[in-house]
Amino acid sequence: MHISLSHEAGLGLFDSDLHELGKQADAERRRRHGNKAYYTVNAHINPTNVCRIVCPLCAFAAKHHDNKAYVLELDEVLRRADRAVEFGATQLHLVSGIHPDKPYAWYREMIAMLHRTYPHLHLKAWTAVEIAAFAQNTGKNFEYILSDLQSAGLSSLPGGGAEIFNTEIRKKIAPDKIPAEIWLEVHRTAHKLGIPTNATMLFGHLEMPKHRMEHLLELRKLQDETGGFECFVPLVFHPKNTQIEGIAISPQAILQTIAVSRLVLDNIAHIKAYWVTLGESLAQIALSYGADDFDGTVFEERIHHEAGSLAPFGLSEARLLELIRGTGREATRRP
């Protein structure tokens, strides 16, 4: 009989030998996925960086008067989707700022327009933070908003906005962002409606291993309840251009966290080596520390690059295949 790791046992993994921890996590990955490592051909579209929320951890958001502020009109969003489809993308990932003047209808029409034009595209759109803002702006509940977006063509939700669930740390890095219980409730509602979602954790800032463990256990608890998380994405914090500069986490601690995630999240199928925040080389190594998914081509990602990610602004499918096969894994494309 399988028994999930307790808080104490999981926390103890952070003090264990990294090599042995990696072997355990890799064995669990192999048990689930054999020699496969997954990827997709995808593009990111960030329609605006104008945001009414101010988060110390964020380098992406801007106010109206900022020089870097921008808004993409719907025809420009469609042009970017056109380019993505031209290079073979099967998935679009849309995340935006909470624009103070753009109504929910603007965000909804974006999904409807993309779905009308490219019905085959998987549209992964709007974080729980955005869904909560749509509900607040319209006076509707989460179920109404998510059902409405689903009818417009929404396929799944990204995991952004989770950051770290611990209340005290959250107050320091994202005091105006929705609390953890609201993030969890949005995802719970999506799962109830049959909308799959990703889960994330931003680490390497002010948190400690105990806070990471609390976060992982909250995700595992919700997954036990709903089964709706498809993938867990450990996101490494990049401090450049944020209010939390000067913090760095070691590659060893990053691999440790990925390995612990694989062992603790025994009810979530996939753990992602998100090369945008890890860099290509460390993402390759992560495939031997419990991760089984390399994400995708990720053309035009902006949020983590604004915070100092030195990874390329997108990889060709050929380069992805080269990176994955270079680890001895069987590159397996997913929708």
Side-chain angles (χ1 to χ4, degrees):
M1 178 180 173
H2 175 77
I3 300 176
S4 296
L5 288 170
S6 66
H7 182 279
E8 292 72 23
L11 194 56
L13 293 175
F14 282 101
D15 295 321
S16 61
D17 178 78
L18 180 60
H19 178 68
E20 291 302 316
L21 178 63
K23 285 174 63 176
Q24 290 181 54
D26 191 53
E28 178 60 19
R29 176 205 59 77
R30 188 173 294 275
R31 184 186 72 78
R32 292 167 176 266
H33 304 292
N35 200 42
K36 293 180 178 179
Y38 303 93
Y39 76 96
T40 191
V41 179
N42 63 342
H44 283 218
I45 299 177
N46 304 116
T48 181
N49 64 348
V50 177
C51 189
R52 61 177 173 80
I53 299 175
V54 177
C55 296
L57 63 78
C58 186
F60 173 71
K63 295 302 178 186
H64 275 299
H65 58 271
D66 293 346
N67 289 335
K68 71 171 188 174
Y70 74 89
V71 177
L72 303 181
E73 296 307 327
L74 293 179
D75 58 350
E76 175 59 24
V77 171
L78 187 57
R79 278 195 292 272
R80 296 190 181 203
D82 293 340
R83 290 203 300 269
V85 170
E86 284 175 13
F87 68 66
T90 57
Q91 183 182 119
L92 291 181
H93 182 290
L94 293 98
V95 172
S96 195
I98 309 297
H99 196 293
D101 301 326
K102 290 293 185 183
Y104 163 63
W106 184 71
Y107 295 87
R108 186 196 189 279
E109 176 53 28
M110 206 174 300
I111 298 300
M113 173 192 70
L114 292 169
H115 184 63
R116 285 193 305 268
T117 310
Y118 296 113
H120 70 284
L121 280 179
H122 181 107
L123 301 178
K124 180 179 292 185
W126 316 138
T127 66
V129 180
E130 291 159 291
I131 299 299
F134 301 157
Q136 181 184 47
N137 292 346
T138 61
K140 305 292 186 180
N141 60 28
F142 299 153
E143 185 167 353
Y144 176 91
I145 296 294
L146 288 164
S147 296
D148 190 44
L149 289 170
Q150 191 177 31
S151 69
L154 181 76
S155 305
S156 66
L157 262 60
E163 319 310 3
I164 204 80
F165 289 152
N166 179 268
T167 302
E168 292 308 308
I169 302 297
R170 202 174 184 85
K171 284 179 181 177
K172 295 175 182 177
I173 64 171
D176 298 325
K177 193 163 279 186
I178 58 171
E181 54 268 27
I182 298 299
W183 187 97
L184 292 163
E185 185 57 31
V186 169
H187 284 261
R188 178 182 288 110
T189 306
H191 298 169
K192 174 184 173 183
L193 294 170
I195 302 171
T197 76
N198 280 352
T200 64
M201 177 178 70
L202 186 71
F203 68 102
H205 42 85
L206 305 180
E207 93 297 341
M208 299 172 65
K210 65 179 182 179
H211 303 128
R212 297 177 211 163
M213 184 54 51
E214 291 169 5
H215 189 104
L216 294 174
L217 293 178
E218 285 291 339
L219 293 175
R220 190 175 74 185
K221 180 181 176 183
L222 181 56
Q223 183 73 343
D224 275 341
E225 178 187 332
T226 67
F229 288 126
E230 289 192 322
C231 185
F232 173 67
V233 192
L235 298 170
V236 178
F237 176 66
H238 288 265
K240 186 178 179 181
N241 298 323
T242 74
Q243 297 174 41
I244 314 175
E245 294 205 36
I247 292 173
I249 184 170
S250 71
Q252 293 82 0
I254 292 169
L255 294 173
Q256 178 191 61
T257 300
I258 292 170
V260 170
S261 300
R262 175 65 288 165
L263 296 171
V264 171
L265 298 176
D266 53 9
N267 54 4
I268 295 181
H270 301 285
I271 305 293
K272 193 164 288 191
Y274 189 44
W275 61 263
V276 173
T277 67
L278 297 177
E280 293 177 11
S281 297
L282 194 59
Q284 285 183 298
I285 297 169
L287 293 180
S288 294
Y289 281 78
D292 64 276
D293 191 313
F294 216 70
D295 198 282
T297 51
V298 197
F299 284 105
E300 298 192 22
E301 194 282 336
R302 296 178 60 95
I303 294 174
H304 293 285
H305 284 91
E306 292 275 356
S309 170
L310 299 178
F313 277 93
L315 297 175
S316 67
E317 185 175 10
R319 177 59 176 160
L320 271 180
L321 293 173
E322 179 185 1
L323 289 168
I324 293 171
R325 290 168 179 167
T327 68
R329 299 283 182 266
E330 176 189 342
T332 304
R333 182 169 170 171
R334 56 179 172 79

